[in-house]
Amino acid sequence: MRYHNITRDDMLNGDGLRVVLWVAGCNHCCKECQNPVTWDPNGGLPFDQAARQEIFDQLEKSYISGVTFSGGDPLYPGNRMEITALAKEIREKFPEKTIWMYTGSLWETVKNYEVMKYVDVLVDGEYECDKRDTQLHWKGSSNQRVINVQDSLRRGQVVLHNS
């Protein structure tokens, strides 16, 4: 897996103060995407032990609410295995921290992926520039959903996250 950036003290990509991992690789290629540089799965830097440690060091801080996986697309086929392992390890070491994920894929396509066992909130759906709305909370276009993953898995239907 490769990544472009790790953002510290982020308040825009999930609830609370977060650390964000911006992965490389996306096959959605949404028109007017805010991060087209992240589409290339060979772009950015290798996600190595130093990058992993940077995320864990941030999560050690009591004021950090959790981690957000974005990009690119964390569920891009070349990212799934490592994102799943990372999410599992974060859940085990930091059970009180939340895990958010942004993907261009729909919930109905990804709900059975192993990683969803560890994700708290999923923002799904491709960004659609004609549905752009800057007043929306945690999403860029009105077609996207902010989903409470664990409640959705328990109930067998989409449960939206209360903002």
Side-chain angles (χ1 to χ4, degrees):
M1 180 173 77
R2 299 180 69 83
Y3 77 105
H4 281 272
N5 194 20
I6 296 171
T7 306
R8 302 174 180 202
D9 302 334
D10 181 282
M11 294 175 56
L12 301 174
N13 295 284
D15 200 13
L17 207 53
R18 315 188 65 73
V19 57
V20 182
L21 174 62
W22 303 89
V23 299
C26 184
N27 53 17
H28 298 286
C29 304
C30 302
K31 183 179 176 188
E32 296 185 28
C33 171
Q34 69 173 356
N35 291 319
V37 69
T38 64
W39 294 353
D40 181 0
N42 299 310
L45 306 164
F47 186 76
D48 58 10
Q49 184 59 31
R52 183 189 159 287
Q53 191 59 50
E54 183 177 346
I55 291 170
F56 280 76
D57 288 348
Q58 290 301 304
L59 290 170
E60 288 282 347
K61 298 175 180 178
S62 62
Y63 60 87
I64 296 296
S65 299
V67 64
T68 299
F69 300 124
S70 193
D73 190 342
L75 298 181
Y76 179 81
N79 295 333
R80 268 186 234 149
M81 194 167 77
E82 283 187 73
I83 285 291
T84 300
L86 183 59
K88 181 180 181 185
E89 187 176 5
I90 289 169
R91 176 61 66 225
E92 290 169 353
K93 290 187 177 186
F94 304 99
E96 74 287 358
K97 305 287 183 169
T98 58
I99 300 174
W100 282 55
M101 180 180 290
Y102 283 78
T103 181
S105 299
L106 293 175
W107 166 253
E108 291 76 10
T109 304
V110 303
K111 66 183 178 183
N112 294 319
Y113 288 3
E114 180 187 356
V115 71
M116 291 305 144
K117 292 191 277 189
Y118 314 112
V119 174
D120 296 293
V121 177
L122 180 76
V123 181
D124 83 334
E126 293 184 358
Y127 170 73
E128 295 181 16
C129 58
D130 61 323
K131 295 179 181 170
R132 180 175 187 252
D133 184 345
T134 59
Q135 302 303 309
L136 297 172
H137 213 61
W138 296 317
K139 58 186 183 174
S141 57
S142 61
N143 62 295
Q144 296 172 310
R145 298 175 290 183
V146 182
I147 299 170
N148 180 319
V149 172
Q150 298 310 307
D151 281 352
S152 296
L153 290 172
R154 276 191 292 280
R155 295 183 191 180
Q157 65 184 32
V158 172
V159 177
L160 297 179
H161 176 74
N162 296 327
S163 50

